[in-house]
Amino acid sequence: MEPDACIETSSMIRVAVLPVAGIPTLLFRDYAAMLLRHHTVSLNSIRSFYTEHQKSPFAHQPWESGNLRFKFMLGGSPPSPWEDFQSNRKILAVIGLCHCPSSPDLHSVADQFTAACKSYSSSLVQRCFAFSPGDSQLEEESYKGSNLVLFPPADQQTQEFHLQTMVQDIAASLLMEFEKWVLQAESGATILKTPLDSQASLSSEEVIKAKKRRLGRAQKTIGDYCLLAGSPVDANAHYSTALELTRLTSDFFWYAGAMEGSVCALLMDRNGQKDPDLEDEVKYRYNSVILHYRKSFIQDNAQRVSPLSFELEATLKLARFLCRRDLAKEVVELLTAAADGATSLIDASDKLVVYVEIARLFGALGYHRKAAFFSRQVAQLYFQQDNKHAAISAMQVLAMTTKAYRVQSRASSEPFNVSGQTYADGGKIHHHSIVSLFESQWSTLQMVVLREILLSAVRAGDPLAAWSAAARLLRSYYPLITPAGQIGLANALANSAVRLPMGTRCGDPALPFIRLHSFPLHSAQVDIVKRNPAREDWWVGSAPSGPFIYTPFSKGEPNHNNKQELTWVVGEPVQVLVELANPCGFEVMVDSIYLSVHSKNLDAFPVSVNLPPNSSKVITLSGIPTKEGPVSIPGCIVHCFGVITEHLFKEVDNLLIGATQGLVLSDPFRSCGVAKLKNALVPNISVVPPLPLLVSQVVGGDGSVMLYEGEIRDVWISLANAGTVPVEQAHISLSGKNQDSVISVASETLQSALPLKPGAEVTIRVTLKAWQLVMTDADAAAMITLSGIPTKEGPVSIPGCIVHCFGVITEHLFKEVDNLLIGATQGLVLSDPFRSCGVAKLKNALVPNISVVPPLPLLVSQVVGGDGSVMLYEGEIRDVWISLANAGTVPVEQAHISLSGKNQDSVISVASETLQSALPLKPGAEVTIRVTLKAWQLVMTDADAAASKGVPGTSAKQVKDGSSPMLLIHYAGSLRNSTEPQTEPVPPPGRRLVISLNICVLQGLSFVKARLLSMEIPAHVGGTHTKLVQLEGDSTVQANGSERQTDRFMKIDPYRGSWGLRLLELELSNPTDVVFETSVSVDMENSNDRESLSNCSCTEFADPKTRIDRDYTARVLIPLEHFKLPVLDGSFLIKGSQISGTNSGRCPSFSEKNIKAEELQKADMKVNPGMSGDFIIAHEMTAMEVLVRNNTKETIRINLSVTCKDVAGENCIEGDKATVLWEGVLTGIAKEVPPLQEIRHIFSLYFLIPGEYTMLAAAVIDDANEVLRARARSNASDEPIFCRGPPFHVRVNGTA
Amino acid sequence: MASTACFMIVSKNDIPIYEAEVGTVPKKEDAAHQHQFILHAALDIVQDMAWTTSAMFLKAIDRFNDLVVSVYVTAGHTRLMLLHDSRNDDGIKSFFQEVHELYIKTILNPLYLPGSRITSSHFDTKVRALARKYL
């Protein structure tokens, strides 16, 4: 079997094209490609090379219209056993290709070529083409007489012409050889045999049979040569004779061969023109060919050789001839028959060829699924061969099937319709189009095919193909794959990535799934307003700014389709929220992910993210627009599993739509627990050139102004340009409620300051007049308040009012009117006097039981300083002073303060003892109590809330939300009324005062992460050691240079290297509008010792302050000396506000923060062997020492003890089985450790048994102070405080 | 006599919406894949054949090795495909007609989106019962 067989194959002259004398492969391909163009040579053109030596046997050769056809076999082919049967199977000519510069010796080239030709005994013509010879080679004579043809270096065209001439020469030579052969065959008596004929020595019967058949076979062969010589008429004549003769001798095999030849002659004669009659003729004859091949099947030698392959070849030839859409049915039948026949083929490669051909023909017919099916069969045959080349072939064949199975790699499929059509109608997609998105999803087949591709790619050693297949498999079919399988695929991805060069890109995304979450809108501060240059008031008619979806003012604007418009500014960072999902059972590490910007005008910042199994995350991707123009963000670029891929949002959106309709197996986001499908639309984003950016701040006060009704006050608002371009135009207008309250705005100040350069600042004055507090009800006007003062204790009844009206005093009872009103609602009375006056609702006010009690004290409260509201940054701690005054007439005898409302935690302490000590509070007396507040953390209620951060508008909302705590003061006068003793059995009631602490929390520094960096240096420090020791010994530490200070943190042990120097790295980000400066100080937990604290922070930690600009993140390094850190959590950081000395008062632009690292300050102890020897040896006294260091500023008394345990954990110093003897004291050692110093306790051990021991030093601290108690987290004051050093492992070697 | 049979319903968008191995031959590892591959390939032929006849039952339209593919095309161009190795045209025809009826009942369900997977276990049970009866 041969691939590419068609009916015309019989007329093709087979030419072997061989590489000669080490021609480079690439050049060989180039030259061969040049040669392959000359596959057809017209008879007309070779006439000049042709000389008629004798009368040609091809009498009817069509010299004008005919031609010779070549079939070039690159690299040659082994001889076929069927050469005699079909002459076109013979290699009739050999062409060698040689590149002269790579083989200088032409003589040896000629020799090599001759040697190569030897294996083609059937060849009639041999030529060796030598390209680009040097001058010396051109002159060389040695090769003369051989078949070497030199192609002098020339331009392409000349060379091709030269080549054409040489091919024509070969064609002519071949033609002459054919003539010779035919003449010889006609006269001679060659016996033609095929493998079908018995190979054994001929019996007499066989000889007679062979003689009879000889003539017919000879005629058939002559016909073959006529075909090769391009003379169909001659061929036909010979074939007719052959048909007759073979039929008579019932030589069916040769009969079928002759018939095949005759069809070829027929087609050649028609010169490629087809008509239905011809087709019928071909069909008829070929059916007979197939029939006769089948007939020639001989049972004897069926094991060895079978004409089946010829039958199948004929079937395929006919199918190829008929292969047209309208004859599909017949072709399908032929191909099905061929496929059936293929199963009984013996040779595996024959089977392969049949399947390849069937697949090709189905493909040509447009039956892609059939083609894919047979391609897969081919791939499976390749799989059985189990070698690398077969695996490569299998992979290539399978790659062709991917289109039919709809699993093609995105790299090979046609580019997507990126226009985003599905978004055009606002995300509404018709059902039919949804279904069509998931057309032909045969998941079972797709998985099998992808798995086979993966397998073949792994075998073929193509990591990229393997990666791509694994990625497609994992992404599309993860719900059908078991967790173990998923992990296997992840490993396959990782293994492939290892073999790929860094930064390889792949068209097929793997995990995670990424969808667009939202575009955070600009905060109100940086709102963008369209500019209308035609008008002076250019902001009018612009897009509405503010929270309104619809404003009537924008109605005139042509409303572009309902797509959201988004404007970004060059140079200002932008953010996009995307949601990642990992629905698989393994952790996905995304090395980097950033926005994919096709418009190339955005610098995207990569971030890395870790997705635990079955989880999803919303992350913020940011970037900075660099150029003006529209921005399109179709997806993200993800670097995951070692390969860079692009994940398009649209694909995931389609997937999710399919999931909601039940067309796709699973929704990756839902399986990760994300409940709601949010259809985020990609807005039209455009980038505009840099704009100025004003930031505003109210000078003085905390940003809010507290006015009494009718009060007039000037407020100064400073505007600074934080952008990069100057502000050229500015206009101030008012919006919102109570616009009347703004009496004047000094807009002329702003105008005169224009243009406002970047960084420049202007302060404008706004005069405010507080409005009247109005009763919310409209009826209020009709209501009046009647007042009075109770004079005596006892019950009060108020049945009505005394009215002096129309000159007469009358009593109006409420009850009468109430009855009237009830009657009016029932329709019994003519009219309701209140309703007719426009009062809508009947309120049924009940008269309560009123009783009068003796005078009570009355506390009024006021927040000292400020406007009554406190503005704090997150985590800030501030003292607020609240003054309480007794406005009553009796003293306050009892008082109790409690908290209520939300965020009670934010009140750290209330100095209730101050209030208690001030009791009894006489009338008119005043007491001021301190309340320490700590601002709470702003919690994002939703991920979207991140969009609106640090905007004062939102913090104002916080106040309204009632998130502030309230102080409740319950107080009362004396228990017994002093004026009228014993008359009242019931004590007079107390009172309650509610003080609402108006706290506005602004977002402050946010804590990103903390790391503890260990700066341990190994031993052998050398000279510096002694110096340090001296420093240590010096009790007064001189903190002059920073170098020394840092040195102080480092402890160096001659045996262990350095320890103790650790750096706490805090990463803080500043999302606010102000600049933070952080400095580090140590909080000794001694609140009453403020001076020493500040001292401490100045001397010991006078590190440069870290400045964190707005919208930036910075790292703060805190050197820690022997600090044991509690668990790093949110509560770890206390941000204390300290007013720095340089800025007196609250500086508006700088808010200075001190971050105090709380550290566990306790005694730190170590057990060291006293000797520096490498080993501790048994049966020898070993000196040891315990080092105890006190890190606090106070002397600590401890009770130290040392234990030693063996590997089993048994105490080996005490007890019956003690294996260690000791000298010195080991338990109950009372020591006193001076502040910030260390002591040693020396003892010796004598180990009886070699082995491993663990030594542990522990101490009980006597009279621990509060600091230590707090650090040790002990509750009871009498609880002993323990302190324990790290275990010290000792290895004791035997003496032997 | 053990028989191999694989039944599938393919929606007009070429999505398999129901599949069942209804043969009596014990299940083999990759046989199910192979059956689906054959049925998938046969769609090409069904696509042409469906328009050449007015009958819904297309009889055996394709084969691979010993396995024959019989197809029944509904008016909505949903294809009921059966891969089998027995020659029992009448039984297959009755089977298809009954399954067609079941399928119509399924698409009458207002909660079923035509073209999506049939997950009803009732349908599955009925189809298997029909297969036992006719095949």
Side-chain angles (χ1 to χ4, degrees):
Chain A
M1 285 296 284
E2 280 171 357
D4 279 332
C6 63
I7 293 176
E8 282 88 351
T9 310
S10 311
S11 65
M12 287 178 181
I13 303 164
R14 227 165 254 210
V15 180
V17 180
L18 307 176
V20 176
I23 178 171
T25 320
L26 272 178
L27 278 174
F28 176 69
R29 260 186 224 158
D30 285 351
Y31 293 140
M34 208 151 77
L35 189 63
L36 287 182
R37 268 172 243 152
H38 305 289
H39 52 80
T40 308
V41 178
S42 70
L43 284 174
N44 203 9
S45 65
I46 63 170
R47 216 160 187 174
S48 51
F49 302 95
Y50 173 79
T51 36
E52 193 168 18
H53 294 292
Q54 45 206 317
K55 191 171 161 31
S56 169
F58 310 130
H60 305 284
Q61 198 147 34
W63 279 104
E64 298 305 320
S65 59
N67 41 34
L68 297 187
R69 298 177 195 192
F70 291 109
K71 182 171 183 178
F72 295 105
M73 313 289 282
L74 291 191
S77 71
S80 158
W82 304 94
E83 274 176 358
D84 275 354
F85 176 59
Q86 285 172 334
S87 306
N88 66 301
R89 287 183 191 266
K90 288 180 189 164
I91 299 283
L92 293 167
V94 181
I95 295 177
L97 294 178
C98 150
H99 185 61
C100 289
S102 58
S103 47
D105 185 5
L106 290 179
H107 191 68
S108 84
V109 169
D111 286 349
Q112 284 180 38
F113 178 64
T114 318
C117 288
K118 285 226 172 86
S119 52
Y120 299 98
S121 55
S122 58
S123 71
L124 303 171
V125 178
Q126 295 104 16
R127 293 279 191 284
C128 183
F129 297 161
F131 290 92
S132 29
D135 290 343
S136 58
Q137 287 170 320
L138 278 172
E139 287 159 18
E140 210 177 309
E141 297 288 320
S142 63
Y143 67 90
K144 288 279 154 73
S146 67
N147 291 321
L148 209 57
V149 182
L150 292 189
F151 282 70
D155 59 287
Q156 183 82 9
Q157 209 179 350
T158 320
Q159 211 156 47
E160 276 186 20
F161 182 72
H162 195 164
L163 189 68
Q164 189 186 359
T165 317
M166 292 328 291
V167 173
Q168 285 167 355
D169 177 43
I170 292 173
S173 312
L174 277 170
L175 186 59
M176 291 188 279
E177 291 290 336
F178 292 158
E179 285 174 0
K180 228 187 277 174
W181 197 93
V182 169
L183 286 174
Q184 198 187 341
E186 275 177 337
S187 57
T190 43
I191 289 191
L192 299 160
K193 279 179 66 174
T194 64
L196 274 180
D197 299 311
S198 166
Q199 297 295 305
S201 59
L202 300 172
S203 63
S204 58
E205 190 190 345
E206 289 278 328
V207 173
I208 296 163
K209 205 174 170 188
K211 270 186 184 165
K212 265 199 228 159
R213 289 180 169 181
R214 197 200 69 213
L215 217 55
R217 293 183 178 189
Q219 283 299 317
K220 193 262 173 192
T221 314
I222 293 169
D224 283 352
Y225 273 97
C226 293
L227 277 184
L228 293 178
S231 171
V233 181
D234 288 316
N236 204 22
H238 287 288
Y239 281 135
S240 304
T241 323
L243 283 173
E244 282 298 313
L245 291 171
T246 49
R247 194 160 47 92
L248 285 175
T249 54
S250 55
D251 196 357
F252 297 124
F253 190 62
W254 286 78
Y255 179 87
M259 185 75 91
E260 245 189 299
S262 74
V263 177
C264 179
L266 184 66
L267 290 180
M268 259 177 98
D269 198 33
R270 295 293 180 91
N271 226 344
Q273 283 159 359
K274 281 187 184 177
D275 54 66
D277 290 344
L278 178 72
E279 260 170 26
D280 285 345
E281 179 68 22
V282 171
K283 226 188 293 178
Y284 172 75
R285 287 205 208 174
Y286 249 95
N287 280 331
S288 128
V289 168
I290 295 165
L291 195 70
H292 281 92
Y293 274 132
R294 201 172 294 158
K295 259 190 188 167
S296 61
F297 180 78
I298 308 161
Q299 199 57 52
D300 309 346
N301 47 17
Q303 292 302 315
R304 186 172 50 88
V305 65
S306 152
L308 182 61
S309 62
F310 283 90
E311 186 193 327
L312 295 181
E313 203 169 277
T315 313
L316 291 175
K317 279 177 181 174
L318 179 59
R320 174 153 295 178
F321 177 74
L322 295 175
C323 189
R324 274 211 322 268
R325 203 79 184 85
D326 49 339
L327 296 175
K329 203 176 167 192
E330 284 167 73
V331 179
V332 168
E333 267 167 21
L334 285 170
L335 292 178
T336 313
D340 280 349
T343 48
S344 38
L345 274 174
I346 306 154
D347 190 5
S349 69
D350 276 356
K351 210 187 256 184
L352 200 70
V353 171
V354 173
Y355 280 146
V356 167
E357 290 297 307
I358 292 174
R360 279 180 175 183
L361 288 171
F362 270 126
L365 209 57
Y367 283 10
H368 296 295
R369 286 170 282 203
K370 274 274 180 196
F373 177 79
F374 283 102
S375 300
R376 194 176 152 267
Q377 297 291 322
V378 172
Q380 291 202 317
L381 288 176
Y382 274 125
F383 266 129
Q384 289 165 9
Q385 294 183 20
D386 204 16
N387 63 49
K388 192 176 170 180
H389 289 289
I392 292 174
S393 307
M395 194 179 80
Q396 285 167 346
V397 171
L398 284 172
M400 288 190 281
T401 68
T402 54
K403 192 162 178 267
Y405 291 119
R406 311 256 175 161
V407 287
Q408 69 259 55
S409 163
R410 209 203 282 167
S412 64
S413 61
E414 55 264 36
F416 274 79
N417 182 14
V418 199
S419 63
Q421 206 174 5
T422 50
Y423 292 115
D425 50 357
K428 280 185 199 166
I429 306 173
H430 209 258
H431 274 182
H432 295 298
S433 56
I434 300 169
V435 174
S436 67
L437 277 175
F438 302 98
E439 212 163 290
S440 273
Q441 293 289 332
W442 289 61
S443 44
T444 320
L445 307 192
Q446 288 164 337
M447 276 172 70
V448 171
V449 170
L450 282 176
R451 221 172 253 153
E452 282 171 356
I453 293 177
L454 175 60
L455 191 64
S456 60
V458 168
R459 271 199 213 167
D462 184 342
L464 187 58
W467 198 95
S468 156
R472 277 177 275 166
L473 197 53
L474 195 55
R475 188 177 172 87
S476 308
Y477 308 105
Y478 70 88
L480 298 176
I481 304 173
T482 57
Q486 289 175 355
I487 291 166
L489 284 175
N491 289 340
L493 285 174
N495 291 341
S496 310
V498 168
R499 291 172 199 195
L500 286 169
M502 284 289 286
T504 305
R505 283 174 179 267
C506 181
D508 303 301
L511 292 176
F513 290 89
I514 302 175
R515 71 172 170 187
L516 197 60
H517 187 275
S518 61
F519 284 83
L521 295 174
H522 289 294
S523 60
Q525 296 245 313
V526 289
D527 224 354
I528 286 172
V529 173
K530 242 181 233 164
R531 197 159 163 177
N532 184 359
R535 301 176 65 162
E536 195 169 337
D537 44 352
W538 49 266
W539 57 91
V540 177
S542 57
S545 59
F548 305 110
I549 296 166
Y550 171 79
T551 56
F553 307 110
S554 65
K555 207 188 168 192
E557 287 272 298
N559 207 0
H560 349 230
N561 47 14
N562 47 8
K563 272 191 98 164
Q564 203 185 347
E565 299 276 341
L566 205 58
T567 310
W568 287 350
V569 182
V570 169
E572 288 183 16
V574 294
Q575 293 178 328
V576 177
L577 295 178
V578 296
E579 187 166 17
L580 312 184
N582 167 24
C584 291
F586 52 87
E587 188 173 16
V588 174
M589 318 246 247
V590 180
D591 296 330
S592 74
I593 172 171
Y594 55 94
L595 294 172
S596 151
V597 185
H598 285 185
S599 44
K600 299 204 189 301
N601 51 357
L602 183 88
D603 274 348
F605 303 139
V607 294
S608 69
V609 67
N610 256 17
L611 289 166
N614 295 315
S615 71
S616 69
K617 246 182 210 175
V618 177
I619 59 165
T620 310
L621 297 179
S622 51
I624 291 185
T626 52
K627 250 191 290 180
E628 301 159 42
V631 181
S632 72
I633 301 178
C636 293
I637 305 278
V638 172
H639 188 169
C640 191
F641 297 110
V643 171
I644 300 171
T645 50
E646 185 176 17
H647 294 236
L648 297 178
F649 297 137
K650 207 182 133 189
E651 285 181 354
V652 175
D653 284 346
N654 290 342
L655 188 72
L656 294 183
I657 292 169
T660 54
Q661 304 290 344
L663 297 171
V664 184
L665 294 162
S666 166
D667 175 345
F669 289 92
R670 180 163 302 177
S671 64
C672 292
V674 181
K676 220 167 84 187
L677 170 75
K678 280 187 198 165
N679 221 342
L681 294 180
V682 181
N684 286 331
I685 306 169
S686 56
V687 176
V688 296
L691 297 179
L693 178 66
L694 280 185
V695 289
S696 73
Q697 197 162 23
V698 176
V699 179
D702 283 329
S704 72
V705 185
M706 203 156 279
L707 301 176
Y708 288 97
E709 274 181 280
E711 184 179 350
I712 295 176
R713 175 120 51 106
D714 285 352
V715 174
W716 296 88
I717 293 173
S718 94
L719 296 170
N721 185 358
T724 54
V725 291
V727 179
E728 302 268 345
Q729 296 183 336
H731 177 260
I732 301 177
S733 58
L734 296 170
S735 91
K737 285 185 185 173
N738 287 314
Q739 294 190 12
D740 297 345
S741 66
V742 180
I743 297 178
S744 76
V745 178
S747 53
E748 68 283 350
T749 319
L750 181 59
Q751 294 300 336
S752 63
L754 294 179
L756 200 62
K757 293 264 158 55
E761 196 173 328
V762 62
T763 308
I764 57 171
R765 194 180 66 191
V766 177
T767 311
L768 297 176
K769 181 184 174 189
W771 55 89
Q772 299 287 321
L773 291 176
V774 198
M775 295 290 159
T776 47
D777 206 337
D779 311 340
M783 278 191 235
I784 56 166
T785 312
L786 299 176
S787 53
I789 293 180
T791 50
K792 251 195 285 182
E793 301 163 42
V796 182
S797 74
I798 305 175
C801 297
I802 308 289
V803 176
H804 188 170
C805 190
F806 300 114
V808 176
I809 300 173
T810 50
E811 186 174 14
H812 296 236
L813 295 179
F814 297 141
K815 210 182 143 192
E816 282 177 20
V817 178
D818 281 348
N819 290 343
L820 186 73
L821 294 183
I822 292 167
T825 53
Q826 303 292 340
L828 301 171
V829 184
L830 290 165
S831 166
D832 175 346
F834 288 90
R835 182 167 299 177
S836 62
C837 296
V839 182
K841 222 166 87 191
L842 169 74
K843 279 185 199 165
N844 218 342
L846 292 177
V847 181
N849 286 332
I850 305 169
S851 62
V852 177
V853 295
L856 295 181
L858 177 65
L859 279 185
V860 289
S861 73
Q862 193 164 22
V863 176
V864 180
D867 286 327
S869 73
V870 187
M871 203 158 281
L872 299 175
Y873 287 98
E874 275 180 281
E876 187 178 348
I877 296 177
R878 179 126 40 111
D879 286 351
V880 174
W881 297 87
I882 294 173
S883 91
L884 299 169
N886 188 356
T889 53
V890 290
V892 178
E893 301 268 344
Q894 295 182 336
H896 178 259
I897 303 180
S898 60
L899 293 171
S900 94
K902 288 185 186 173
N903 286 313
Q904 294 189 16
D905 296 342
S906 65
V907 179
I908 297 178
S909 73
V910 179
S912 51
E913 67 283 353
T914 320
L915 181 60
Q916 296 299 337
S917 63
L919 292 179
L921 201 63
K922 293 265 156 55
E926 197 173 325
V927 63
T928 307
I929 59 170
R930 192 180 69 189
V931 177
T932 311
L933 298 178
K934 179 184 172 185
W936 54 88
Q937 299 287 323
L938 291 177
V939 191
M940 296 289 153
T941 46
D942 191 10
D944 302 341
S948 57
K949 55 183 179 184
V951 187
T954 53
S955 56
K957 199 176 77 190
Q958 294 266 353
V959 176
K960 278 180 200 157
D961 284 350
S963 53
S964 301
M966 284 179 286
L967 283 182
L968 296 183
I969 303 180
H970 293 89
Y971 60 96
S974 65
L975 193 63
R976 215 171 260 178
N977 205 329
S978 55
T979 50
E980 277 178 58
Q982 305 267 325
T983 52
E984 196 74 42
V986 183
R991 277 195 143 138
R992 188 179 67 176
L993 172 66
V994 177
I995 307 171
S996 174
L997 298 167
N998 283 330
I999 304 174
C1000 298
V1001 178
L1002 301 179
Q1003 193 179 21
L1005 285 186
S1006 65
F1007 172 72
V1008 180
K1009 68 177 172 192
R1011 277 198 296 170
L1012 201 57
L1013 305 173
S1014 164
M1015 301 292 284
E1016 309 255 312
I1017 300 166
H1020 313 298
V1021 187
T1024 53
H1025 173 230
T1026 49
K1027 180 186 153 201
L1028 281 162
V1029 169
Q1030 280 168 7
L1031 261 173
E1032 287 284 337
D1034 205 356
S1035 60
T1036 55
V1037 178
Q1038 295 174 350
N1040 296 333
S1042 61
E1043 178 197 312
R1044 273 186 181 174
Q1045 284 173 30
T1046 47
D1047 285 349
R1048 274 198 74 250
F1049 301 125
M1050 187 151 63
K1051 300 284 170 287
I1052 293 189
D1053 184 291
Y1055 312 122
R1056 284 188 173 187
S1058 78
W1059 78 94
L1061 177 60
R1062 289 192 179 173
L1063 293 175
L1064 175 68
E1065 187 195 69
L1066 299 178
E1067 196 173 331
L1068 301 169
S1069 88
N1070 177 8
T1072 64
D1073 290 337
V1074 294
V1075 179
F1076 276 83
E1077 247 177 34
T1078 60
S1079 64
V1080 178
S1081 71
V1082 178
D1083 189 353
M1084 288 303 204
E1085 293 276 324
N1086 265 343
S1087 51
N1088 48 2
D1089 195 0
R1090 286 257 156 194
E1091 294 104 84
S1092 76
L1093 191 149
S1094 58
N1095 246 347
C1096 166
S1097 67
C1098 290
T1099 54
E1100 289 189 42
F1101 296 102
D1103 300 303
K1105 287 171 181 165
T1106 308
R1107 190 182 145 98
I1108 309 177
D1109 284 329
R1110 53 186 291 269
D1111 285 339
Y1112 277 89
T1113 299
R1115 289 188 181 150
V1116 181
L1117 283 177
I1118 303 167
L1120 301 178
E1121 183 192 9
H1122 285 300
F1123 290 166
K1124 296 255 171 68
L1125 290 168
V1127 185
L1128 286 176
D1129 58 6
S1131 68
F1132 167 64
L1133 281 177
I1134 292 182
K1135 294 171 192 167
S1137 144
Q1138 275 198 343
I1139 298 156
S1140 87
T1142 49
N1143 302 325
S1144 57
R1146 260 186 93 74
C1147 174
S1149 61
F1150 287 89
S1151 168
E1152 188 159 324
K1153 299 256 160 176
N1154 287 340
I1155 295 172
K1156 296 172 206 154
E1158 288 182 81
E1159 67 288 335
L1160 184 63
Q1161 297 197 327
K1162 275 172 80 175
D1164 181 42
M1165 55 179 70
K1166 287 191 177 73
V1167 183
N1168 282 350
M1171 51 179 289
S1172 61
D1174 294 344
F1175 306 109
I1176 293 172
I1177 298 170
H1179 302 292
E1180 213 168 85
M1181 195 59 96
T1182 312
M1184 315 284 281
E1185 67 182 27
V1186 178
L1187 268 175
V1188 182
R1189 185 177 164 83
N1190 176 7
N1191 281 326
T1192 63
K1193 293 212 151 186
E1194 276 156 29
T1195 305
I1196 291 179
R1197 275 181 294 125
I1198 56 167
N1199 193 339
L1200 179 73
S1201 54
V1202 180
T1203 55
C1204 181
K1205 291 180 175 178
D1206 61 9
V1207 266
E1210 298 285 334
N1211 190 339
C1212 42
I1213 290 180
E1214 292 160 344
D1216 302 339
K1217 297 177 185 171
T1219 54
V1220 181
L1221 308 176
W1222 74 94
E1223 184 182 50
V1225 198
L1226 288 189
T1227 49
I1229 314 148
K1231 288 267 182 182
E1232 191 162 289
V1233 194
L1236 294 173
Q1237 284 193 22
E1238 42 186 48
I1239 55 143
R1240 336 175 152 224
H1241 170 72
I1242 297 172
F1243 58 96
S1244 298
L1245 294 179
Y1246 185 90
F1247 295 93
L1248 295 173
I1249 300 171
E1252 291 203 357
Y1253 294 88
T1254 306
M1255 303 182 65
L1256 200 65
V1260 179
I1261 299 173
D1262 300 332
D1263 308 332
N1265 61 6
E1266 274 180 26
V1267 179
L1268 283 173
R1269 281 198 186 284
R1271 291 294 95 213
R1273 297 176 190 235
S1274 74
N1275 302 322
S1277 59
D1278 53 346
E1279 199 179 317
I1281 306 291
F1282 287 106
C1283 169
R1284 204 185 65 174
F1288 181 75
H1289 296 282
V1290 182
R1291 185 179 180 84
V1292 179
N1293 290 14
T1295 40
Chain B
M1 186 188 100
S3 69
T4 311
C6 174
F7 176 65
M8 279 190 112
I9 301 179
V10 180
S11 80
K12 73 168 183 213
N13 298 97
D14 290 355
I15 308 173
I17 55 175
Y18 175 80
E19 57 209 55
E21 286 286 333
V22 291
T24 51
V25 168
K27 230 180 173 180
K28 269 185 282 172
E29 180 70 27
D30 53 343
H33 301 162
Q34 184 68 3
H35 292 167
Q36 290 206 19
F37 271 108
I38 296 169
L39 288 172
H40 179 256
L43 282 177
D44 268 331
I45 294 168
V46 179
Q47 173 188 303
D48 281 359
M49 286 285 283
W51 304 106
T52 59
T53 169
S54 60
M56 283 181 164
F57 182 46
L58 299 185
K59 305 219 172 86
I61 49 124
D62 193 17
R63 64 180 202 277
F64 182 73
N65 296 347
D66 300 329
L67 300 168
V68 184
V69 180
S70 293
V71 178
Y72 183 94
V73 184
T74 69
H77 210 68
T78 300
R79 283 142 294 180
L80 316 182
M81 306 179 81
L82 184 74
L83 184 77
H84 56 101
D85 54 1
S86 58
R87 302 249 170 206
N88 177 14
D89 259 4
D90 290 340
I92 289 168
K93 190 174 181 181
S94 319
F95 173 72
F96 275 142
Q97 279 166 346
E98 301 257 347
V99 174
H100 186 196
E101 206 156 307
L102 277 178
Y103 174 69
I104 288 170
K105 282 177 187 166
T106 306
I107 54 176
L108 283 175
N109 180 351
L111 301 178
Y112 172 76
L113 171 72
S116 63
R117 209 157 249 284
I118 300 176
T119 49
S120 156
S121 58
H122 176 75
F123 183 83
D124 187 61
T125 321
K126 280 286 187 77
V127 167
R128 285 175 194 279
L130 286 175
R132 272 196 298 280
K133 185 175 169 193
Y134 291 111
L135 302 182

